[in-house]
Amino acid sequence: MDVRSCLRLVRRHWWIVLVTLMVAVGSAALITVRTPPRYDASVTFFVTTPSQGVTDAYQGSLFLQQRVKSYADLLRSDRLAQSVVAESPLGLTADEVQRRVSTSTETGTVLLRATVTDTDQTRAMRVTESLSANFVELVQKIETPAEGRSAPVKIEVVSGPRVTSRPVSPQPTRNLVIGGLVGLLLGAALAVLRGVADVRLRDAAGLQRVTGSPLLGEIPFEAGAKSAPLIVGESATSARAEAVRKLRTNLRFVDVHEPARAIAVTSALQGEGKTTLSCNLAIALAEAGWRVLLVDADLRRPKVADYLGLDGGVGLTDVLVGDVQVGDVVQRWGDKSLLVLPSGSTPPNPSELLGSKAMADLLLALRESADIVVIDTAPLLAVTDGVVVAVQADGALLVTQQGRTSRTQVAAAARALHSVSVRLLGCVLNMTKVAKADAYQYEAYRIATAIPPAVPAERAASPERRTAAGGVNGTVDRTQELTRLPR
């Protein structure tokens, strides 16, 4: 994964970075507030020895540098800590004194620094004073020979003891900056990890790679599409309607030498918007002057009649079992060249019915009577109905909802079509998130048009009025409508 891909994942999951940053900064602030202030009291010792001449001075310096390392450990010894506690009771034990003392030396020098850190500024100073005095005495005792000669090493205090006026910890600015940096890095790592672990399809390029078919359209998500799914009325000038028209154009030029006249619209899972797209695609094709027949072949969960405001009680199922003729149940929708064949009653054996010879003969007849037949089918992974219908059509259109279906599920749906040699015309990425810049460009370029009614007047009436006016159960013969549509 390159840097650009990582940045894209971080941008996509920006909320993870933001939440992690807030948690890290908040934790740093909480730790800073709850940490008691600490003060440092320090003293610096100079270690020297009597020397004579340059050679002695050089050898003495090497000797003292080695001695200083030992004295650093001596400053934290049990013996010195016990002497400090015995000399001045400070409410501390010898172990507590040892934990508060730290030492440091500078390489190449004979300077030794002792630092006492405590939450009590006064106590830190008193411990340092007692420590420096007892340390000088302790070194003299240890280094003085038994014969009574003078000690070869001399310890002098050259700086301090002094205590800091301000706490050395906590440091709010440093803690918040470190917390922010840690939060950013951790948030970015979590965002990338989330993106890598996310198997859902989120872009058009991924959909094309998984299906191995061209992308014919990207339908943007609109909040009002649930209450007004069709691209009629006010929705006719929306970005979603324009995307469906673009899909219509791309679909007509997929293969100009062998155009598909019967198109099965399907999806991997239920609820990806295939039925809405089938209806809108049929409407868009009819607007362009094509004679279109929309067939609801999803016999288990039919929705076409509900979306279009039609009576779906009698339809495809009744035609296939021979109860009615197709011309008696086909219904015209609106003032366009769009006819609709609802699903009809729910059969006990949808797969067998859709795969029967009656279905093949019906599709053959419908191809001859309409320019384009759009067939809404069942999801591919739920049941086998969609594959059965797609085999009899001229090609299939696979609809995938962005951010909902996984790559594995889409790949399985594509394999189900390829395994029976179904011609996959292309794929559609549905309910995509449109960048604000793209949405603004469309809104700036759109033109004011006369808004047609959302539902044709004759379809807005109740089923009883439609029947009385010559609906599905009336005396109007719709058989001729399949051949008398204007070209």
Side-chain angles (χ1 to χ4, degrees), residues 230-231 244 274-284 294 303-305 307-308 338 374 376:
L230 303 182
I231 53 171
V244 175
K274 63 173 183 59
T275 302
T276 304
L277 185 64
S278 300
C279 296
N280 287 331
L281 179 60
I283 293 173
L294 176 60
K303 293 293 182 182
V304 170
Y307 286 165
L308 297 178
L338 174 59
V374 179
D376 180 40

Side-chain angles (χ1 to χ4, degrees), residues 460-481:
S462 62
E464 292 77 6
R465 293 181 58 187
R466 289 202 298 268
T467 303
V472 235
N473 298 323
T475 58
V476 177
D477 185 7
R478 288 188 172 85
T479 307
Q480 301 300 321
E481 289 187 356

Side-chain angles (χ1 to χ4, degrees), residues 114-253:
T115 303
V116 177
T117 304
D118 202 318
T119 55
D120 189 332
Q121 187 178 21
T122 304
R123 186 169 60 187
M125 184 63 179
R126 293 179 59 187
V127 170
T128 305
E129 292 174 345
S130 178
L131 183 73
S132 61
N134 283 276
F135 176 66
V136 172
E137 294 179 1
L138 180 60
V139 171
Q140 293 297 321
K141 290 180 181 179
I142 293 175
E143 296 291 353
T144 300
E147 296 81 4
R149 290 178 297 172
S150 60
V153 178
K154 183 179 181 182
I155 301 293
E156 293 183 1
V157 177
V158 295
S159 178
R162 65 167 59 91
V163 67
T164 55
S165 58
R166 294 182 179 180
V168 294
S169 69
Q171 299 181 15
T173 303
R174 184 196 63 179
N175 293 350
L176 293 178
V177 170
I178 293 177
L181 292 176
V182 172
L184 284 175
L185 294 176
L186 183 59
L190 291 176
V192 172
L193 184 62
R194 170 69 182 273
V196 172
D198 189 2
V199 298
R200 293 174 293 179
L201 278 171
R202 294 187 176 275
D203 52 31
L207 180 59
Q208 292 183 85
R209 286 194 302 269
V210 172
T211 60
S213 62
L215 180 75
L216 299 183
E218 294 184 65
I219 313 301
F221 171 79
E222 289 183 0
K226 188 173 183 180
S227 57
L230 303 182
I231 53 171
V232 294
E234 295 182 356
S235 300
T237 58
S238 64
R240 180 165 57 96
E242 192 62 31
V244 175
R245 297 186 188 104
K246 184 178 179 180
L247 169 63
R248 172 191 66 190
T249 303
N250 293 340
L251 192 60
R252 294 303 298 164
F253 290 97

Side-chain angles (χ1 to χ4, degrees), residues 346-358:
T346 303
N349 54 344
S351 299
E352 290 76 9
L353 201 59
L354 293 173
S356 63
K357 185 177 182 299

